[in-house]
Amino acid sequence: GQSSQPIRCKAAVCRAAGEPLVIEEIVVDPPKAHEVRIKIVCTSLCHSDVTFWRMQVGLSRPFSLCVPPSIDRSDGPSRPKWDFPAVFPRIFGHEAFGVVESVGEHVEDLATGDAVVPTFLGQCTECVDCGSDRSNVCSKYRFAVRAGLPRDVDGTRFHDRHGAPLSHFLGVSSFSEYTVVDATQVVRVDHAVPPASACLLSCGATTGVGAAWKLAKVEPGSSVAIFGLGAVGLAVAEGARICGASTIIGYPCCETVLNVDYNSDHGGRDIQYNTVDTVGKKFGVTHFINPQELGEKSVSEAIIEITDGGADYCFECIGLASLMNDAFRSSREGWGKTIILGVEMHGAPLSIPSHEILHGKCVMGSLFGGVKPKQDIPILAQKYLNRELELDKFITHEVTLKDINTAFDLLLQGKSLRCTIWM
Ligand code: CXF
Ligand code: ZN
């Protein structure tokens, strides 16, 4: 039902860039029209939280995704200067599962008690893009990294105990016992899906699985190469496995993602998947490329050798222009597709040899793996319930909200894939 009362609760507040989060008592306003207030059951840390947690005003970041308050990029060619707003203090978190506590006016598809996952991407279901199978980016409420909500871009529903506003993050802000999210960014899921598993469908796992399933449309028997084996990269492997790929090559090329060891007798590390053997068996990766053992060979040469000509599908899951290039070079002439999922961390452009495009290769990218949240997440939830899609193997750790900084440490040290944070 509708509610008009603010709620006092606990949240992990980020007071300044790069600082540990602080557990504070905050006030969460009731949902306004078209909004939903959610009682968060659990949340998890995605690398994008870390990216924007680190972000300091004036330093080089993926600025092109950020929109200063009140200024819409769709205004035309005379774009505003990237005068990045001070977005601290802020409540991070965007991968979560919860239960609807109350709904604002005009919310028709959600009700109190619904089990839901919030998503950073909205689906209004009415615009041209939402009505087309060719797009998953709602054009009515365009995605941008901003301080407020899609219909109230400067607004916030959070205040600290002194009444000072706390910014939203990706319209979700799930590191709080309660949050307010636009109804276009809330997806109902089957109550049968356990909270920690449903939570994974909210961002990382869906992005990777979706990229293989919806965007690349990987066919049985095909070859897939994955650049970067964090949660998104391994979710691509999971999607490729479900689609029946027969060769899945993993290139764990970045120290900020899961530390895998090539020496399988290495022990004593505080993680479950510390060897290529365990990762291979758990996630269906059939070949690994050890960056340390490449010698004179490039990663692309190694992949071309394994696949006898180049992989059918190459996925970039880190956000580095040079790696996007490696992925492109590793794809097969004639039909190779390179799929970009990483957000380029220096804002660098991608340059590719144009004549190779003439030879039939293509590059594509997407937000959220091409998944339409309200349409496709319930399908993934059903695949999970049918035991077709495996999600639980992505959960390597769990903590309670008071220990949320441990989740940051684990991710930064490459020790975790997903750490469930219980409210
Ligand atoms: C990202 C995608 C690009 C902008 C920030 C959020 N997705 C999820 O983590
Ligand atoms: Zn995310």
Side-chain angles (χ1 to χ4, degrees):
Q2 290 186 13
S3 145
S4 53
Q5 292 306 309
I7 291 180
R8 270 180 190 283
C9 67
K10 286 204 179 71
V13 177
C14 180
R15 288 271 153 197
E19 285 186 4
L21 307 189
V22 186
I23 307 298
E24 297 184 18
E25 191 171 281
I26 64 155
V27 176
V28 183
D29 290 346
K32 294 197 174 167
H34 304 286
E35 294 174 353
V36 174
R37 189 160 59 185
I38 302 170
K39 183 181 192 337
I40 299 292
V41 173
C42 61
T43 179
S44 40
L45 184 62
C46 167
H47 206 278
S48 306
D49 294 303
V50 175
T51 302
F52 287 88
W53 163 77
R54 277 197 185 124
M55 188 191 275
Q56 262 159 322
V57 178
L59 295 186
S60 68
R61 297 312 134 181
F63 271 150
S64 50
L65 290 163
C66 304
V67 176
S70 313
I71 303 174
D72 189 342
R73 287 186 62 186
S74 59
D75 281 354
S78 60
R79 289 184 180 169
K81 276 205 218 105
W82 297 119
D83 176 18
F84 193 71
V87 287
F88 300 102
R90 187 173 216 180
I91 299 179
F92 282 107
H94 65 280
E95 187 172 289
F97 167 82
V99 176
V100 174
E101 178 272 336
S102 60
V103 301
E105 277 182 281
H106 311 304
V107 173
E108 257 122 53
D109 63 332
L110 296 156
T112 301
D114 282 351
V116 292
V117 297
T119 54
F120 73 91
L121 203 61
Q123 189 184 341
C124 80
T125 72
E126 286 160 9
C127 71
V128 179
D129 287 70
C130 286
S132 165
D133 280 341
R134 298 185 294 184
S135 170
N136 73 326
V137 285
C138 175
S139 42
K140 186 161 175 198
Y141 302 106
R142 283 202 55 189
F143 170 78
V145 183
R146 50 168 85 87
L149 294 162
R151 291 172 220 251
D152 183 8
V153 294
D154 299 332
T156 179
R157 308 288 172 260
F158 302 117
H159 295 273
D160 71 9
R161 68 166 79 80
H162 309 293
L166 304 163
S167 292
H168 282 252
F169 180 60
L170 301 180
V172 176
S173 292
S174 56
F175 295 165
S176 172
E177 290 176 319
Y178 287 86
T179 186
V180 174
V181 182
D182 194 274
T184 56
Q185 288 178 240
V186 181
V187 180
R188 192 152 10 90
V189 291
D190 192 325
H191 275 99
V193 183
S197 319
C199 178
L200 299 171
L201 292 175
S202 176
C203 185
T206 296
T207 300
V209 172
W213 165 49
K214 296 267 318 194
L215 198 65
K217 302 188 173 76
V218 169
E219 309 95 346
S222 49
S223 57
V224 167
I226 306 167
F227 296 73
L229 298 182
V232 171
L234 290 171
V236 170
E238 178 64 8
R241 183 188 71 76
I242 293 172
C243 293
S246 53
T247 304
I248 303 179
I249 305 168
Y251 181 47
C253 50
C254 175
E255 70 285 357
T256 63
V257 300
L258 193 69
N259 284 320
V260 286
D261 211 309
Y262 287 85
N263 180 0
S264 42
D265 57 27
H266 179 98
R269 196 104 61 87
D270 165 33
I271 54 175
Q272 283 162 275
Y273 312 135
N274 59 348
T275 68
V276 290
D277 284 354
T278 51
V279 173
K281 286 200 187 97
K282 282 266 185 189
F283 295 91
V285 178
T286 58
H287 299 68
F288 283 89
I289 294 173
N290 182 346
Q292 261 104 59
E293 277 175 11
L294 279 171
E296 294 292 281
K297 213 186 272 177
S298 69
V299 60
S300 305
E301 285 164 347
I303 290 171
I304 288 167
E305 238 173 67
I306 295 169
T307 55
D308 195 19
D312 300 326
Y313 301 99
C314 294
F315 295 85
E316 200 276 354
C317 307
I318 298 288
L320 272 175
S322 61
L323 200 60
M324 297 172 189
N325 253 294
D326 289 337
F328 183 75
R329 276 196 292 266
S330 310
S331 66
R332 194 191 185 284
E333 274 191 13
W335 61 67
K337 282 187 184 165
T338 299
I339 293 101
I340 311 280
L341 302 179
V343 179
E344 219 294 333
M345 50 186 96
H346 311 101
L350 173 60
S351 98
I352 47 172
S354 56
H355 60 267
E356 289 193 37
I357 294 271
L358 296 180
H359 285 250
K361 294 187 179 189
C362 89
V363 181
M364 61 205 301
S366 79
L367 286 170
F368 210 29
V371 159
K372 281 176 170 310
K374 289 189 195 245
Q375 176 192 302
D376 297 327
I377 287 178
I379 299 173
L380 291 175
Q382 197 50 54
K383 286 186 194 286
Y384 171 82
L385 292 172
N386 296 341
R387 298 175 184 276
E388 212 182 311
L389 169 65
E390 296 176 10
L391 292 174
D392 299 336
K393 61 193 178 187
F394 289 91
I395 304 170
T396 54
H397 297 79
E398 52 182 339
V399 296
T400 55
L401 182 64
K402 68 174 173 23
D403 294 321
I404 191 167
N405 290 304
T406 304
F408 277 73
D409 295 341
L410 290 165
L411 197 64
L412 287 165
Q413 293 163 13
K415 286 185 175 169
S416 61
L417 283 175
R418 280 297 186 260
C419 177
T420 308
I421 300 157
W422 294 97
M423 293 293 150

